[in-house]
Amino acid sequence: MTAAQIDTDKLMAFVFRAVDEVGATLNTALVRMGDQLGYYRDLASHGPTTSAELASRTGTPEPYAREWLNAQAAGRIVEYDPADGRYSLPPEHAVALTDETSPAYLPGFFQIALGTVHDTDRVVQAARAGTGVGWHEHDADVHVGCERFFRPGYAANLVSGWLPALDGVVDMLTAGARVADVGCGHGASTVLMAQAFPRSRFVGSDLHAASIETARARAAEAGVADRVVFETVPAQQLGDARYQLITMFDCLHDMGDPVGAARAVRAALEPDGTWMVVEPAAGDAVEDNLTPLGRAYYGFSALLCTPASLSQPVGAALGTQAGPARIREVVSQAGFTRFRVAASTPFNTVFEIRP
Ligand SMILES: C[S@@+](CC[C@H](N)C(=O)[O-])C[C@H]1O[C@@H](n2cnc3c(N)ncnc32)[C@H](O)[C@@H]1O
């Protein structure tokens, strides 16, 4: 293409869009800074603040507080009043940035993004070599960020919305059932279910031994270790026990062999049992997912979930945006005959799958 064919307005519009993109990339680290240094919590608990006041209350040098505040103001995260030189965090932003119990809580989302970006070179090397990058090979921000990102959504929806959307499952759990939470990571979902249903017994499992160690600690802290066991095993090898409910939260697409995992679930599920699969919200066609959320999910897919799947035998690489039709195909290959979308949120789709 010659210079004469270039639309310079379009070129410059693209360049200026990139300025915003770079600002957003840096903001991932600025959110971490605000979270770790206590800047957001300080702004949330005080009114309009100067950079000197923020610096003094958080014990950090004023230039850090000042430049961070200015970056946050330019990013419309805090508001700046030039009349008095004070910065304030709107109450809604304060909830999203400081309240770990809110489903809108955001620092975990940024943390998993930061950890993911940190490991880019590893992914580049793997792509060149035609291999994958296992979940265990990632920076701890990926593991901790994953828990901090997903937990608030599970806390808001799992017991109050998702389990009741499954036919007969709450009654069964209330009476006492055997449950396997496969690919449980740090066990956020396992612990929430164990707290809600004290008569049921839970086995959380994951391929990643360090995550299982953390999950055990989380269960002990929550006082549910008497009814939860955690094991380091792959989803394709669930053992001889039988379960009335098997759950998978945001992990089927990470697995190398999702059909093999589905077959293992089929074998481990009681004939009248239920398999609940929670996956990132997605449409079936690429064009359905070309949205801001799809962009973030495809980003995680390319850098985190797809390399994880490719690091395992089979390497099916479903991707985070597989969509209901592809998930249905996977479970059908394992002999499941009943499949429906039981619930959905802007971020997740919940599938009810039965033999
Ligand atoms: C995105 S994390 C989700 C963790 C957890 N379910 C949650 O919602 O917080 C995906 C998890 O799947 C696990 N995983 C990937 N492949 C697996 C496999 N074949 N068998 C068991 N776990 C697997 C990873 O180790 C990781 O903990």
Side-chain angles (χ1 to χ4, degrees):
M1 183 173 281
T2 63
Q5 292 171 288
I6 295 278
D7 175 341
T8 43
D9 289 344
K10 200 168 171 182
L11 173 61
M12 287 320 289
F14 185 58
V15 167
F16 280 105
R17 209 190 93 195
V19 172
D20 200 32
E21 303 264 332
V22 171
T25 306
L26 292 169
N27 191 52
T28 309
L30 292 166
V31 170
R32 156 71 142 260
M33 198 174 164
D35 183 38
Q36 297 278 302
L37 295 178
Y39 286 166
Y40 291 128
R41 288 185 293 281
D42 184 275
L43 288 168
S45 54
H46 294 86
T49 291
T50 65
S51 58
E53 288 165 352
L54 180 66
S56 148
R57 289 195 301 256
T58 56
T60 55
E62 192 274 341
Y64 281 108
R66 183 187 65 221
E67 296 309 300
W68 180 86
L69 279 166
N70 288 335
Q72 295 290 281
R76 307 267 186 279
I77 292 168
V78 305
E79 289 170 359
Y80 176 63
D81 184 351
D84 59 8
R86 290 181 176 275
Y87 302 81
S88 47
L89 188 62
E92 297 77 13
H93 296 197
V95 167
L97 291 163
T98 64
D99 181 359
E100 297 221 16
T101 65
S102 165
Y105 184 67
L106 289 173
F109 203 7
F110 284 98
Q111 186 174 2
I112 188 171
L114 199 58
T116 301
V117 169
H118 176 272
D119 294 333
T120 310
D121 285 346
R122 224 177 240 267
V123 174
V124 170
Q125 280 165 16
R128 285 206 174 107
T131 57
V133 181
W135 185 256
H136 63 282
E137 294 178 77
H138 281 287
D139 187 86
D141 274 334
V142 166
H143 311 133
V144 177
C146 176
E147 177 188 16
R148 291 180 83 204
F149 169 47
F150 284 126
R151 195 182 184 287
Y154 299 161
N157 297 296
L158 174 54
V159 173
S160 63
W162 294 348
L163 291 170
L166 307 175
D167 193 20
V169 164
V170 166
D171 287 347
M172 184 184 77
L173 290 170
T174 306
R178 289 180 309 283
V179 181
D181 187 14
V182 178
C184 67
H186 285 188
S189 49
T190 332
V191 168
L192 284 165
M193 290 190 286
Q195 286 173 318
F197 301 103
R199 299 176 75 129
S200 288
R201 294 292 171 269
F202 299 83
V203 178
S205 62
D206 199 284
L207 202 53
H208 184 216
S211 284
I212 286 298
E213 283 302 310
T214 304
R216 287 188 183 122
R218 298 284 190 265
E221 284 158 20
V224 296
D226 59 326
R227 47 189 183 270
V228 185
V229 172
F230 286 105
E231 297 172 349
T232 304
V233 287
Q236 303 88 301
Q237 294 163 25
L238 292 182
D240 297 330
R242 292 287 169 273
Y243 302 96
Q244 287 142 294
L245 174 67
I246 298 182
T247 55
M248 283 190 190
F249 293 85
D250 284 288
C251 61
L252 183 66
H253 64 272
D254 289 292
M255 295 178 187
D257 183 9
V259 174
R263 289 201 178 103
V265 169
R266 180 84 175 80
L269 203 59
E270 295 283 8
D272 60 346
T274 300
W275 181 20
M276 174 168 88
V277 172
V278 178
E279 278 288 293
D284 289 323
V286 169
E287 57 272 27
D288 299 336
N289 304 320
L290 302 182
T291 61
L293 183 65
R295 184 185 189 198
Y297 278 159
Y298 276 129
F300 283 120
S301 194
L303 293 164
L304 190 58
C305 311
T306 298
S309 176
L310 291 173
S311 75
Q312 299 179 24
V314 182
L318 284 180
T320 57
Q321 298 292 271
R326 184 80 187 90
I327 303 291
R328 179 180 212 142
E329 221 176 280
V330 165
V331 308
S332 302
Q333 283 179 60
F336 286 95
T337 59
R338 288 178 289 170
F339 178 93
R340 75 178 176 99
V341 173
S344 56
T345 68
F347 291 98
N348 285 110
T349 306
V350 180
F351 301 104
E352 181 188 64
I353 302 160
R354 290 175 184 255

